[in-house]
Amino acid sequence: MPIRLGCIADDFTGATDLANNLVRAGMRVVQLIDVPAPGAHPPVDADAVVIALKSRTVPAAEAADASLRALDWLRSAGAGQIYFKYCSTFDSTPAGNIGPVTEALMDALGTDFTVATPAFPDNGRTVFKGHLFVGDVLLGESGMRHHPLTPMTDSNLVSVLGAQMRRPVGLIDHKAVAAGPEAIAARIGELRGEGVGAAIVDAVSNEDLVRLGSAVAGLPLVTAGSGLAIGLPANWGIEPSPVAARLPAASGHSAVVAGSVSAATNGQVREFLDSGRPAFSVDPLRIAAGDDVAGEALKFAEAHLADGPVLIYSTESPDAVRAVQDELGAADAGELVEGTLARVAQGLVERGVRRLVVAGGETSGAVVQALGLTSLRIGPQIDPGVPWCAAPLPGGDTLHITLKSGNFGGPDFFTAAFTLLDEAAA
Ligand SMILES: Nc1ncnc2c1ncn2[C@@H]1O[C@H](COP(=O)(O)OP(=O)(O)O)[C@@H](O)[C@H]1O
Ligand SMILES: O=C(O)[C@@H](O)C(=O)COP(=O)(O)O
């Protein structure tokens, strides 16, 4: 049977976040890493396929190109609607990539209108009058203003997206959303008439997203964080299932690799260190100086793997990150750290790690690519937006892996994740 929904995610943590919400809303979902070869068979028994790209921070033309290849494949697999998934904090720069990718997809699909909303109320992301709130504060006042690659300082998404698109950007405000699918459809008609190409949509609750989901059933393209996923499966008569997806039992050593410097990950690292568990800090300046930091981290891990989860982290405070960036440049520092953590993850798996937590979207992309993973099965949710996944390793074993968005998860995530996996297998 052809797939119904085809999804393109701009990073790997975001892809599992989206897949998780679709699974919880009842869809059978397969997540593929990167675009399959043209003509590769679509997975059987999947209602949706999520293609995970690492396109959030690459040059805009590259991101558009990769997204168009994903689109071609998803359409050939039968997808009747396309979902472009970006971050719930709208991570982007004036050069893109949310706007340019949206426009490339619109052009290819021949559509004149789409919606855009990063709202994900279960994780405290709400949009009101076009302004994005992260918890109780506006985006531009949240920790995202310090993000190393995509600092977000403007909370007005109409202006943020407007700066990235040629087409005019409008707003479907909360009055229309609260009034229901017909009012949203009427507002879409109005905006289309005014020549607006994309509209930021207010949403402050899951009910708003469900109403929006129903109103956009006929759009060839929707763009959003993972939140809108809860409102789409019903358009195909698919009902939410309370049963979390099942995974095969996990075995092997446990480890955490953290390359996120976001506020939530800083808290999780602190909690792990405070608990006295084994942890190794990766210093970007030592990598740049040519030290074998990955080798040292693996030696440390080897000595501690038998004692439970080992943490290898580059997570630092915003001030420390800024100091490193001043010396190395933000992009080079990011690449150096990602490359080192990816080598560490490879080494950990070679040493018997089969339960792996990865923190950070870019970091997850680098790790998943280095491990040669090609597809993920979605399992139980650890915290909103973060499921355990199972992936076949190139050698044939199964790796249980979770890709944690930098800003997701409770303070004890690095230990709670392993407890949940043990419980799920019991
Ligand atoms: N100590 C550090 N100094 C500078 N850059 C760092 C440091 N630690 C990690 N980075 C880089 O910061 C970026 C974090 O992005 P990402 O992994 O997507 O995390 P998040 O999910 O929090 O956005 C990565 O490119 C990573 O390599
Ligand atoms: O929508 C979200 O917030 C996440 O799914 C996401 O995209 C996370 O990106 P990172 O913070 O870079 O992990």
Side-chain angles (χ1 to χ4, degrees):
M1 202 164 77
I3 61 170
R4 292 140 192 255
L5 185 65
C7 309
I8 304 168
D10 70 353
D11 85 342
F12 289 24
T13 42
T16 54
D17 173 13
L18 172 60
N20 178 56
N21 275 353
L22 291 170
V23 166
R24 287 164 64 78
M27 274 189 158
R28 298 163 304 165
V29 183
V30 172
Q31 177 172 330
L32 301 177
I33 307 302
D34 218 330
V35 186
H41 289 300
V44 285
D45 293 341
D47 301 307
V49 169
V50 179
I51 294 186
L53 299 178
K54 197 171 181 301
S55 57
R56 185 172 293 174
T57 57
V58 301
E62 242 175 77
D65 191 52
S67 305
L68 289 175
R69 282 189 292 111
L71 173 68
D72 277 350
W73 192 86
L74 290 166
R75 285 212 284 185
S76 72
Q81 186 173 46
I82 300 296
Y83 190 133
F84 169 37
K85 154 73 176 72
Y86 38 73
C87 193
S88 65
T89 41
F90 219 69
D91 298 16
S92 52
T93 68
N97 291 338
I98 297 176
V101 169
T102 298
E103 294 206 282
L105 294 173
M106 289 177 76
D107 290 343
L109 286 162
T111 184
D112 67 335
F113 185 84
T114 189
V115 290
T117 186
F120 186 9
D122 282 351
N123 255 328
R125 274 54 159 173
T126 53
V127 181
F128 187 65
K129 294 192 184 292
H131 287 67
L132 175 58
F133 289 82
V134 179
D136 294 331
V137 298
L138 283 162
L139 173 68
E141 292 159 17
S142 75
M144 282 307 295
R145 69 190 188 283
H146 300 304
H147 193 278
L149 305 174
T150 50
M152 301 302 293
T153 52
D154 184 357
S155 314
N156 180 343
L157 298 185
V158 176
S159 71
V160 172
L161 187 59
Q164 297 178 27
M165 288 186 68
R166 297 186 312 272
R167 293 168 169 87
V169 175
L171 174 67
I172 300 176
D173 78 1
H174 192 249
K175 265 199 235 100
V177 175
E182 294 77 19
I184 299 170
R187 179 71 182 136
I188 289 176
E190 248 171 54
L191 290 167
R192 265 188 156 135
E194 292 165 14
V196 165
I200 299 293
V201 189
D202 282 355
V204 298
S205 66
N206 285 347
E207 291 71 30
D208 287 339
L209 290 168
V210 168
R211 285 188 280 269
L212 176 62
S214 163
V216 299
L219 292 185
L221 173 70
V222 297
T223 83
S226 68
L228 181 57
I230 67 172
L232 294 184
N235 293 336
W236 288 276
I238 296 171
E239 305 211 324
S241 158
V243 184
R246 281 189 185 279
L247 293 183
S251 60
H253 293 310
S254 309
V256 182
V257 171
S260 159
V261 296
S262 296
T265 307
N266 262 288
Q268 289 150 357
V269 167
R270 212 172 311 120
E271 172 123 348
F272 192 93
L273 297 178
D274 288 349
S275 74
R277 291 167 201 275
F280 181 95
S281 157
V282 166
D283 176 353
L285 295 178
R286 289 193 52 227
I287 307 173
D291 293 351
D292 180 16
V293 179
E296 289 173 29
L298 288 169
K299 214 179 227 163
F300 175 87
E302 241 168 37
H304 292 94
L305 277 174
D307 310 333
V310 174
L311 166 66
I312 311 293
Y313 68 103
S314 65
T315 312
E316 273 292 357
S317 67
D319 284 346
V321 172
R322 240 187 322 272
V324 165
Q325 291 183 329
D326 286 347
E327 194 136 332
L328 304 177
D332 286 355
E335 239 172 74
L336 274 181
V337 174
E338 285 173 39
T340 299
L341 292 181
R343 275 199 298 287
V344 167
Q346 265 176 322
L348 289 170
V349 168
E350 281 159 18
R351 286 160 180 76
V353 167
R354 292 292 178 274
R355 295 177 255 208
L356 183 62
V357 170
V358 187
E362 297 297 324
T363 309
S364 293
V367 166
V368 163
Q369 283 171 344
L371 293 177
L373 307 183
T374 54
S375 70
L376 302 180
R377 246 177 86 185
I378 308 301
Q381 171 176 293
I382 305 161
D383 271 326
V386 202
W388 270 109
C389 305
L393 284 164
D397 271 12
T398 296
L399 175 70
H400 284 73
I401 186 165
T402 177
L403 309 179
K404 190 197 77 72
S405 154
N407 267 319
F408 285 177
D412 64 346
F413 186 92
F414 293 163
T415 47
F418 297 108
T419 307
L420 179 93
L421 197 55
D422 291 340
E423 284 168 3

